[in-house]
Amino acid sequence: MLRALELARRGPAHGPNPRVGCVLLDADGAVLAEGWHAGAGSPHAEAAAVADARARGVAVQHATAVVTLEPCAHTGRTGPCSELLAEAGVRRVVHAVADPNPVAGGGADALRSRGVDVVGGVRAPEGEELLRIWLTSVRRGRPWVTVKTAQSLDGRVAAADGSSRWITSEQARLHAHRLRGEVDAVVVGTGTVLADDPALTARTPEGTPAAHQPLRVVVGERDVPQGARMRGPGGELLHLRTRDLDGALRSLAAREVRHVLVDGGPTLVTALLRAGLVDEVHTYVAPVLLGASGRAALGDLDVPTMADARRLVPHEVHRLGPDLLLVSVPVPPEEGP
């Protein structure tokens, strides 16, 4: 299963489908073939593993399939993997995580009905961690929301005159562009569009456009200027003329958007935090001081006392040139100290 998880990570982080890996074993536990899902429209991991076995001239009758996610029972861009494995002669399937998708789930029962032995929950914590973004999106009916802020040491995102280029270093900005290349959509409010005119593209360290360009989403009722940079080359532009943030996220989920990066500004980020719609916070902190006249990274979170403070759990800390990146996860109110 650890090898299957390793294979799954070869698939793209973005896209509507989960990252899945599959290892086929013979009766003695020796590896017959391997496969992983390379993205929407390509063979699923199970089909890729069976194809790998056939290319090697290896029979998979009576084999065991070790898969990171329960094989699907749905015909979409490809056929159901549960049926493929049963027809190939696989006699045992071991998976880490059950598929919560109401459309594609049910593969374990379909396999059992064909006489295949199915074991679930093997290395489930590792599987859940690998698939946390996709699983959260499917279970909640909205994308995983990552909020990104780039701020000074004293919590400011712009100087008194509104200028913000550049608070953080080139190394931090390159890291942020790599993150853009791993998400399905980048979201900003109309205030950020009018104040900063961002392009919202993903670029490589060489400054060229990345292979994957995220959907560019603007939330708010004001118009996006015709000459805005985000109307230029890059991902598709989607303007959601609403202040209903939960509704906006659910409309993105209907487009199979699984992961969004909220790239500013303070008004939108604050509103999402207040609504409890943030799953992860990426805070880039530069050793720069802008003082009280600078623009604060957040607005009012309705925290009258320390007992009401919004708590987060730090997961990762990275040094990026002179800057630091803190990756943290909000603590749900019922789990707070």
Side-chain angles (χ1 to χ4, degrees):
M1 185 62 77
L2 291 175
R3 174 58 178 169
L5 290 163
E6 181 183 337
L7 291 169
R9 293 186 183 92
R10 297 183 182 183
H14 58 82
N17 294 351
R19 302 164 89 181
V20 182
C22 176
V23 179
L24 296 176
L25 305 175
D26 67 14
D28 297 321
V31 174
L32 295 172
E34 300 178 334
W36 65 92
H37 182 48
S42 66
H44 288 189
E46 299 92 325
V50 171
D52 180 44
R54 289 171 178 164
R56 297 169 182 266
V58 176
V60 299
Q61 284 83 1
H62 309 294
T64 293
V66 180
V67 195
T68 54
L69 181 67
E70 175 189 2
C72 67
H74 168 66
T75 299
R77 296 182 180 94
T78 61
C81 293
S82 54
E83 183 177 325
L84 179 142
L85 291 174
E87 291 183 349
V90 170
R91 288 292 174 262
R92 189 166 187 254
V93 172
V94 178
H95 64 81
V97 180
D99 191 339
N101 192 332
V103 175
D109 289 339
L111 284 162
R112 291 188 181 103
S113 71
R114 299 283 295 269
V116 178
D117 180 34
V118 180
V119 178
V122 175
R123 295 281 182 179
E126 291 94 328
E128 289 271 346
E129 174 61 24
L130 173 69
L131 294 169
R132 71 188 188 285
I133 290 173
W134 183 83
L135 288 170
T136 297
S137 178
V138 172
R139 289 167 177 167
R140 297 182 182 175
R142 67 161 177 83
W144 174 279
V145 176
T146 296
V147 160
K148 171 237 170 184
T149 63
Q151 62 188 56
S152 64
L153 198 60
D154 52 350
R156 305 291 163 172
V157 295
D161 64 356
S163 61
S164 60
R165 297 179 181 175
W166 296 104
I167 290 177
T168 54
S169 65
E170 181 179 3
Q171 293 95 321
R173 298 196 298 275
L174 287 174
H175 187 278
H177 273 280
R178 188 173 71 190
L179 178 60
R180 284 186 185 178
E182 296 177 351
V183 302
D184 300 310
V186 180
V187 182
V188 296
T190 52
T192 295
V193 174
L194 298 174
D196 297 340
D197 190 23
L200 300 186
T201 55
R203 296 189 293 276
T204 67
E206 294 73 32
T208 58
H212 165 67
Q213 292 295 325
L215 175 70
R216 297 181 281 192
V217 181
V218 178
V219 179
E221 297 173 344
R222 290 178 288 181
D223 291 337
V224 176
Q226 288 301 315
R229 295 173 65 210
M230 65 175 58
R231 292 190 182 276
E236 176 189 353
L237 172 61
L238 174 64
H239 188 181
L240 300 177
R241 293 179 180 272
T242 181
R243 295 182 180 180
D244 178 3
L245 297 179
D246 183 69
L249 290 172
R250 292 187 183 280
S251 69
L252 290 174
R255 296 171 62 105
E256 294 191 304
V257 171
R258 303 297 188 192
H259 189 185
V260 303
L261 172 65
V262 180
D263 210 349
T267 301
L268 179 58
V269 169
T270 301
L272 287 164
L273 285 167
R274 290 191 65 147
L277 294 173
V278 175
D279 299 298
E280 188 175 65
V281 178
H282 286 224
T283 308
Y284 296 85
V285 182
V288 176
L289 299 174
L290 294 176
S293 61
R295 189 179 183 190
L298 292 175
D300 181 16
L301 286 176
D302 189 24
V303 181
T305 70
M306 280 304 298
D308 300 309
R310 304 296 179 102
R311 302 286 179 177
L312 297 95
V313 177
H315 275 204
E316 302 172 30
V317 179
H318 302 277
R319 178 75 179 265
L320 302 170
D323 306 325
L324 292 178
L325 167 62
L326 174 63
V327 179
S328 52
V329 176
V331 177
E334 64 273 13
E335 296 179 17

